[in-house]
Amino acid sequence: MSELESDQVKKTFKRMMNEVVALGSCCGCSMCVVTCPYGVIKYDPVSMFPYVAKPKGDFDFCPISEEVGCDVCANACERLGPEHMKPIKPEEIDVRTFGRARRDDEYYGVTRFICAARSTNPNVVANAQDGGAVTEVLRCAFEEGIIEGAAVAVGSEKMWLDPVPKVIRTVDELMQTAKSWYTYCATPLALKEAVDKYKLKKLALVGVSCEVSGYGTALGADTSFITAERGEKNVERQNKHLRQYVEAVQLTIGLLCTETFVFDGFVYEYLQGKLGLNPHDVVKVNVKGKIVTDMKDGMRIETPLLEARVYQRSQCNYCGDFSAEHADISAGGVGSDGWTIIIVRSERGERVFKRAVEKGYLEVRPASEFERSMRVLKRLTDEQRKRADEQYASIGSSRR
């Protein structure tokens, strides 16, 4: 256990369900579902909360937790800290993810360098959310054999605007997913498909801040809670499920994120009801201090972001991480036009990113040339940390 984490309160399923899910701070990252060794916990795509598949009691009762001893899920939960009603501190997830906490001079979390990048292929840029940098980093990772699959969000068969988690296994599939969604998708669920169904051992995970922090929380979790009295088979099973999915991940890419929207509210009440748009004709949504919606017929509609914020998921208020602080590479089009702002945080992230540049997938410019982007990055980072601090203070708690 690291120096930053105390063992004052045991992390249990019951605590997780009461202090995270019932409280409303559960981000829906799905890491509890991914790591559950017994398939007890399922994911509700509507509420975006976990639940017990075959309940034998109250919502916070897990028979394995109570009768055998498990709580793997609770130890993979980023919003459940070692003290009552407090999340894990960001610096603790730093240690779990990178092996060290951020320095005082690392304002955006553990950082190696910040730059701007975009694809050297105009067709990729035209089809991408911003500069196509995430697509090209993943393409390089595929073609260099660094990964054999990636857990991403893709538009569902029902509607492009309704994202679902999927594991992609080819560059062709990658090129069809080069967009971002602003309604929530529990992307880590695709890790189970990748490992269990396709037997993949080298994966990338692309997700928003809470998802990559969930990954980091599980990756560095102390396994001493899995004790011998549970029996040899249970000990083996619990250790395996806590580790096998996250250890298959060779690269995490975090998408800069202030909030995501409730699907029915944003799509049906706002886009369809208020703006009069057919959701099936939407081909792209972007947020640039305003909502930018592109339609099949080429029409572009720009509307105030404040209008859409009433459809924000309430659990996003508990998130103080705008810049995906626990990803190998963080990326977003913050304050830029046609370029992706990149924060490289880890050795493996730096290795893959520089390889993409060397192989000609990316062109790069220094962050100093993007003064507006850096101002927006700083402002949104400050605002999101303040919002989360105020949210925890409202329940008599704190996140630090």
Side-chain angles (χ1 to χ4, degrees):
M1 186 173 291
S2 79
E3 294 179 359
L4 290 171
E5 184 175 14
S6 85
D7 57 357
Q8 293 175 352
V9 185
K10 184 179 178 181
K11 295 180 181 179
T12 64
F13 177 84
K14 187 177 291 290
R15 274 195 66 208
M16 181 183 76
M17 294 302 287
N18 282 283
E19 297 181 28
V20 179
V21 177
L23 174 67
S25 68
C26 173
C27 58
C29 76
S30 75
M31 285 308 302
C32 59
V33 180
V34 171
T35 59
C36 177
Y38 304 96
V40 171
I41 309 175
K42 301 299 181 183
Y43 186 81
D44 181 355
V46 178
S47 71
M48 298 174 221
F49 288 154
Y51 67 95
V52 177
K54 296 179 180 179
K56 296 181 180 180
D58 293 335
F59 82 100
D60 60 355
F61 176 77
C62 170
I64 304 296
S65 173
E66 299 286 348
E67 298 165 12
V68 176
C70 180
D71 301 313
V72 166
C73 58
N75 285 271
C77 177
E78 66 175 286
R79 296 283 168 91
L80 185 68
E83 298 178 60
H84 281 304
M85 305 301 289
K86 289 187 177 182
I88 298 177
K89 294 179 180 179
E91 294 82 3
E92 170 59 29
I93 306 179
D94 290 348
V95 174
R96 294 187 181 201
T97 308
F98 305 115
R100 70 170 179 87
R102 65 195 67 185
R103 301 187 305 267
D104 290 343
D105 64 337
E106 293 177 310
Y107 193 78
Y108 303 107
V110 172
T111 302
R112 287 178 171 248
F113 62 87
I114 304 176
C115 66
R118 72 177 176 188
S119 171
T120 55
N121 184 334
N123 292 329
V124 172
V125 175
N127 189 52
Q129 189 72 9
D130 290 294
V134 171
T135 299
E136 295 293 25
V137 168
L138 289 172
R139 181 158 74 103
C140 177
F142 268 116
E143 295 183 349
E144 294 289 300
I146 298 167
I147 61 172
E148 52 189 353
V152 301
V154 303
S156 69
E157 294 181 0
K158 180 180 72 173
M159 183 190 300
W160 177 85
L161 277 170
D162 186 14
V164 295
K166 182 180 179 179
V167 54
I168 57 172
R169 294 178 289 159
T170 67
V171 171
D172 286 343
E173 286 183 302
L174 168 67
M175 293 304 172
Q176 297 171 24
T177 65
K179 291 286 193 303
S180 292
W181 283 261
Y182 290 90
T183 54
Y184 196 73
C185 173
T187 308
L189 287 174
L191 296 176
K192 285 186 68 68
E193 179 186 17
V195 174
D196 295 345
K197 181 178 180 180
Y198 296 113
K199 311 302 180 185
L200 303 183
K201 297 180 179 179
K202 297 186 295 182
L203 301 169
L205 170 63
V206 183
V208 291
S209 305
C210 57
E211 294 171 340
V212 293
S213 291
Y215 156 82
T217 299
L219 179 69
D222 178 15
T223 59
S224 63
F225 71 94
I226 304 175
T227 53
E229 62 264 22
R230 300 179 180 184
E232 184 178 346
K233 289 185 178 179
N234 284 316
V235 168
E236 180 182 358
R237 188 172 188 170
Q238 292 171 20
N239 273 298
K240 177 183 177 182
H241 277 74
L242 182 59
R243 294 293 186 218
Q244 66 176 345
Y245 302 106
V246 291
E247 289 185 350
V249 175
Q250 306 300 307
L251 177 69
T252 57
I253 299 179
L255 307 177
L256 276 57
C257 179
T258 54
E259 72 262 309
T260 55
F261 302 116
V262 175
F263 177 81
D264 284 349
F266 181 69
V267 174
Y268 292 120
E269 292 183 29
Y270 184 63
L271 294 182
Q272 186 176 57
K274 184 167 185 174
L275 300 185
L277 305 177
N278 184 343
H280 293 278
D281 291 338
V282 175
V283 295
K284 182 178 179 180
V285 176
N286 210 341
V287 175
K288 297 287 186 182
K290 55 192 172 185
I291 301 291
V292 182
T293 308
D294 292 343
M295 308 299 290
K296 282 182 181 178
D297 61 5
M299 182 171 63
R300 169 169 288 186
I301 300 94
E302 298 184 358
T303 52
L305 177 57
L306 284 176
E307 288 185 359
R309 281 225 159 113
V310 298
Y311 306 107
Q312 174 196 306
R313 297 167 69 229
S314 60
Q315 49 266 63
C316 293
N317 289 326
Y318 288 91
C319 176
D321 179 8
F322 169 70
S323 67
E325 295 170 0
H326 301 111
D328 293 309
I329 300 171
S330 303
V334 54
S336 63
D337 185 14
W339 288 80
T340 308
I341 301 303
I342 296 288
I343 306 174
V344 175
R345 303 184 183 279
S346 70
E347 181 180 355
R348 68 182 185 181
E350 181 173 4
R351 187 167 58 247
V352 175
F353 182 78
K354 287 186 173 179
R355 187 65 174 161
V357 175
E358 291 167 2
K359 296 288 287 185
Y361 296 100
L362 292 173
E363 59 177 308
V364 177
R365 288 168 57 183
S368 60
E369 295 183 13
F370 290 78
E371 293 183 6
R372 179 175 180 271
S373 293
M374 298 311 295
R375 288 196 303 270
V376 174
L377 176 63
K378 172 70 163 54
R379 176 175 60 81
L380 294 179
T381 296
D382 290 343
E383 289 177 357
Q384 192 142 330
R385 288 173 179 173
K386 180 182 178 183
R387 182 183 71 184
D389 289 339
E390 291 175 347
Q391 183 65 29
Y392 276 103
S394 73
I395 60 168
S397 183
S398 68
R399 67 183 191 94
R400 292 184 177 274

